[in-house]
Amino acid sequence: MIINRVRYLKGPNYFAYTPTICIELDIGVLEQKPSDSIPGFNEKLLKALPNLGSHTCSKGYRGGFAERLRKGTWMGHILEHMTIELQNLAGIEAIRGKTIMMEKKGFYYVTFDYQEPHSGLQAFLAAKDIAEAILNGEKHINVQSYVKQIEQLYYKNKLGPSTEAIFKAAQAKGIPVERMGDESLLRLGTGTRQKYVQATISSQTSNIAVENSCDKSLTKSILRGCGLPVPEGEVAHSIEDIFASADRLGFPLVIKPYNGRQGQGVITHIKNKDELFNVINCLESHVEKYIVERHIEGHDYRLLIVNGELIAASLRLPPYVIGNGKESIRKLIEKENCNDLRGEGHEKPMSKIPLTHTVTCYLEKSNRTLDTIPNQGELVQVVGNANLSTGGKAIDVTDQVHPTIKNMSAAAAKAIGLDIAGIDFICEDISKPIEHSRTAIIEVNAAPGIRMHHYPSEGKKRDVGKAIVDYLFPTREEAAIPIIAVTGTNGKTTTTRLVHYFLSNENTKVGMTNSDGVYIGDEVLDQGDCSGPVSARMVLAHPEVDVAVLETARGGILREGLAFRKCDVGIITNVSEDHLGRDGIDTLDDLIKLKRLVAEVVMTSTMPIMKQD
């Protein structure tokens, strides 16, 4: 079987409204061999991927696909179902697929859902490999290794959980959202209404507020000046300074890097000088400054503030292992890290416990090492902080937060100047009124992870992504400029120019694409045939555009799908037999189905197109 072409249809397309991969596949001699004519194939396939037996297929009922296999179906259709199943086994939601026979015998369009392009294509390649292995009579096919490879690609390339939560919340609200580059930058909205989010920092977040929060000593100074509770502490530039600070502050103590992040290098509850000596011996040499603070007894909480409101609160628990009297701490951590909920970095609900300096240094405090074998039933805390990034757990306590603590957390975010903030807070009981002498704000975070709130280890999930999107754009109309899409066979460019002319005035700058070029107002940005999605996205991304008028030709829809999920007005001129026999558009009915996509994505209710004086 030969793959002739791969198309990634990002927007609404000929096959579906959702992102779709389209594979042009040549099955060669297998065109003469439907599944019912290949001895043992169906049985081996269902043994390798047993969940295929529950696929409904076009039959619409459970087991429909297995019935198609028994009666005879072709390899393109089989690979479609295999690809969907392999993605699901890798934890990737995929539901829809469709296989279409091309005019040339033995050639097929195989289409299927994807969430992330690298893993989506790999799922198809894996399906092809497995099918060919069965056809070649191979007895041992390691399906799980293929699934693992797909899963690794997915988590390597997908958005992190915090950014993904914002992305999905924007989509659910109908707000245009696009990932910029390969990292965590999102653009929400279009034209003059667009805004950006990087992780959980928005384009409305003050730069000086971010700088304030990154300077732990300055943060404490600002909060203390407002009368908010912070732990007593000092900055230490050397080991001698650390011991001197310990003498002045007294025990128990906390030591953390001055410019640390995500709990890395934090050592808590140092009870005496002996433990301090043990800690000093394993401090990281590259760290130039440390903060030495009084340890505050109590529970570790994260309070999430958006636009001055408490949206979520979590009790954070440090990672621990339970001894069995036989295995070392290292082995117990390795076993816990096999938990399906734990992944590398931020890819899954919980992070793996790091077998790094962070753990060895904390264990050193109590004269333990990674090779120590704990007693049966002994609970051993292995990291000195409760950050999720170092393997901690989170329990939702949002409904328990006392009003005085809500007010304190909002005041802390406002004092630093942050619109979105994570307040790390220590107290005995978050449901009781604040006691300044027994509580402390440990940190104010400018880019707080929201994974713990969306995927708590216990308690109710909190949709912080939605709260952030609602803060940035209370309504869809405040995010998306009006879009007028024009398609058809003849007269598209003329119609597009006329609409551009009628809408343009001193208060409205119209962006236009057509077969002559890209225009922002009267300015020409590009020349040539610009009636495809690349040019349309250029207009939608331009920060001066108030309204977009987009000529939308067949070629661009077939290559990538539409550049927008919804438009406000769809104009379809005549549709006649033109350019048939190309890219699977063989009949007038095929062409009508393609062109009517513009009408199908028109918003049912629209905003005013022109600005009011």
Side-chain angles (χ1 to χ4, degrees):
M1 291 183 284
I2 299 172
I3 297 171
N4 290 326
R5 185 182 178 191
V6 179
R7 284 181 280 165
Y8 298 95
L9 308 175
K10 302 174 185 177
N13 55 79
Y14 182 76
F15 307 103
Y17 298 132
T18 53
T20 301
I21 290 179
C22 178
I23 306 285
E24 295 181 19
L25 181 70
D26 175 6
I27 66 171
V29 297
L30 291 172
E31 176 66 16
Q32 311 304 321
K33 296 181 179 180
S35 56
D36 63 331
S37 69
I38 307 173
F41 178 83
N42 294 343
E43 294 77 11
K44 292 174 183 176
L45 175 61
L46 292 173
K47 182 179 180 182
L49 293 168
N51 288 343
L52 287 176
S54 64
H55 282 210
T56 60
C57 197
S58 58
K59 297 288 185 179
Y61 51 80
R62 186 181 175 89
F65 175 65
E67 184 179 318
R68 293 284 302 275
L69 281 173
R70 289 192 298 272
K71 292 183 177 181
T73 190
W74 278 262
M75 199 55 63
H77 181 218
I78 293 169
L79 292 185
E80 169 209 322
H81 279 268
M82 292 175 69
T83 301
I84 291 170
E85 181 57 30
L86 286 167
Q87 288 189 85
N88 285 321
L89 289 173
I92 306 167
E93 183 180 4
I95 301 172
R96 189 213 61 82
K98 187 174 181 63
T99 299
I100 301 172
M101 185 184 298
M102 297 169 64
E103 198 169 78
K104 187 174 181 181
K105 200 167 183 63
F107 287 71
Y108 292 81
Y109 292 115
V110 182
T111 74
F112 50 88
D113 285 345
Y114 76 97
Q115 298 293 328
E116 184 283 316
H118 297 86
S119 55
L121 178 59
Q122 184 57 40
F124 183 84
L125 297 176
K128 179 173 173 290
D129 281 354
I130 293 168
E132 289 176 338
I134 294 172
L135 291 168
N136 292 332
E138 294 181 23
K139 295 182 178 180
H140 302 292
I141 303 172
N142 189 349
V143 171
Q144 192 54 44
S145 67
Y146 287 108
V147 171
K148 190 66 177 176
Q149 188 177 15
I150 296 164
E151 180 185 28
Q152 288 172 344
L153 276 172
Y154 176 64
Y155 283 110
K156 176 184 176 183
N157 294 291
K158 72 183 284 290
L159 289 168
S162 294
T163 313
E164 184 179 52
I166 296 170
F167 187 94
K168 289 182 175 180
Q171 283 192 324
K173 197 168 184 173
I175 291 173
V177 57
E178 183 179 359
R179 183 180 186 177
M180 308 303 296
D182 298 325
E183 300 303 325
S184 299
L185 181 65
L186 300 179
R187 180 172 61 222
L188 282 71
T190 46
T192 54
R193 302 173 187 180
Q194 63 188 287
K195 296 177 183 177
Y196 287 88
V197 174
Q198 173 81 56
T200 53
I201 295 178
S202 80
S203 51
Q204 296 181 190
T205 302
S206 160
N207 181 62
I208 196 168
V210 175
E211 292 296 319
N212 288 345
S213 68
C214 290
D215 187 324
K216 292 180 172 61
S217 182
L218 179 59
T219 295
K220 286 173 63 177
S221 178
I222 292 171
L223 297 179
R224 186 184 294 112
C226 298
L228 297 171
V230 295
E232 187 181 356
E234 299 179 0
V235 178
H237 295 80
S238 65
I239 292 175
E240 291 76 13
D241 284 352
I242 291 174
F243 278 104
S245 294
D247 288 336
R248 286 189 290 270
L249 296 170
F251 292 93
L253 291 174
V254 174
I255 297 180
K256 54 188 175 184
Y258 187 90
N259 293 315
R261 57 190 296 271
Q262 297 182 340
Q264 296 172 4
V266 176
I267 311 296
T268 62
H269 207 198
I270 303 168
K271 297 188 289 293
N272 51 52
K273 279 195 173 183
D274 288 339
E275 288 192 357
L276 181 58
F277 271 111
N278 290 338
V279 168
I280 291 296
N281 289 332
C282 65
L283 291 179
E284 298 185 34
S285 58
H286 69 274
V287 177
E288 296 180 355
K289 288 195 293 186
Y290 283 90
I291 291 178
V292 183
E293 292 177 339
R294 285 296 305 273
H295 177 85
I296 306 296
E297 289 292 343
H299 298 296
D300 185 329
Y301 296 97
R302 164 62 66 83
L303 308 170
L304 198 286
I305 303 296
V306 177
N307 195 29
E309 297 290 331
L310 177 71
I311 302 301
S314 295
L315 167 63
R316 303 190 300 178
L317 301 175
Y320 60 86
V321 293
I322 300 174
N324 57 21
K326 299 176 183 178
E327 295 175 306
S328 67
I329 293 174
R330 183 194 306 276
K331 184 64 177 177
L332 294 170
I333 291 175
E334 289 173 349
K335 289 176 70 173
E336 172 58 27
N337 283 343
C338 290
N339 183 339
D340 287 340
L341 294 176
R342 293 191 183 273
E344 300 293 343
H346 296 263
E347 66 182 24
K348 292 188 177 181
M350 293 192 295
S351 298
K352 290 184 177 181
I353 302 170
L355 283 165
T356 62
H357 189 76
T358 298
V359 173
T360 56
C361 194
Y362 182 78
L363 294 173
E364 182 76 17
K365 181 170 72 75
S366 56
N367 291 315
R368 289 189 178 101
T369 70
L370 285 170
D371 296 321
T372 299
I373 299 176
N375 296 326
Q376 176 74 34
E378 182 183 358
L379 189 150
V380 180
Q381 183 177 328
V382 295
V383 177
N385 62 77
N387 290 61
L388 259 68
S389 57
T390 51
K393 297 181 179 181
I395 299 172
D396 178 73
V397 293
T398 307
D399 294 332
Q400 302 172 29
V401 181
H402 192 273
T404 60
I405 294 177
K406 288 184 182 180
N407 294 339
M408 177 219 64
S409 58
K414 193 169 185 178
I416 300 302
L418 291 171
D419 55 344
I420 302 168
I423 313 298
D424 294 342
F425 180 67
I426 302 289
C427 74
E428 289 288 346
D429 188 346
I430 204 167
S431 67
K432 294 182 178 179
I434 189 170
E435 293 184 59
H436 282 240
S437 62
R438 303 182 64 182
T439 61
I441 298 171
I442 304 303
E443 284 188 20
V444 178
N445 300 277
I450 58 177
R451 174 175 53 149
M452 70 181 76
H453 307 300
H454 281 262
Y455 305 101
S457 301
E458 297 178 31
K460 184 178 178 180
K461 295 181 179 181
R462 306 289 172 170
D463 198 344
V464 178
K466 180 179 184 300
I468 291 173
V469 171
D470 287 346
Y471 154 61
L472 294 173
F473 297 110
T475 65
R476 180 189 186 276
E477 288 72 22
E478 294 173 73
I481 62 171
I483 297 174
I484 297 92
V486 182
T487 193
T489 300
N490 303 111
K492 297 188 298 295
T493 301
T494 301
T495 303
T496 302
R497 287 185 175 278
L498 282 169
V499 174
H500 174 272
Y501 174 79
F502 289 133
L503 292 179
S504 297
N505 60 47
E506 61 181 16
N507 295 315
T508 305
K509 180 166 281 191
V510 181
M512 176 178 66
T513 64
N514 58 35
S515 56
D516 294 328
V518 176
Y519 302 81
I520 306 298
D522 296 327
E523 181 183 357
V524 181
L525 292 191
D526 197 5
Q527 291 182 310
D529 188 350
C530 296
S531 57
V534 173
S535 300
R537 283 194 290 269
M538 188 187 303
V539 167
L540 296 174
H542 199 286
E544 296 179 355
V545 172
D546 298 306
V547 180
V549 184
L550 308 173
E551 181 177 336
T552 308
R554 68 188 295 284
I557 302 175
L558 289 168
R559 282 194 309 274
E560 294 185 43
L562 295 175
F564 44 87
R565 293 180 69 199
K566 293 288 182 182
C567 63
D568 299 273
V569 177
I571 300 175
I572 302 178
T573 64
N574 68 318
V575 179
S576 59
E577 295 182 347
D578 185 47
H579 300 301
L580 298 182
R582 292 166 52 183
D583 295 318
I585 306 300
D586 300 316
T587 68
L588 180 59
D589 284 344
D590 292 337
L591 187 59
I592 291 171
K593 178 184 175 183
L594 179 71
K595 298 285 188 178
R596 79 182 184 204
L597 181 63
V598 167
E600 290 171 355
V601 299
V602 171
M603 296 283 291
T604 53
S605 61
T606 61
M607 66 193 81
I609 299 298
M610 298 182 67
K611 288 184 178 178
Q612 301 298 312
D613 291 335

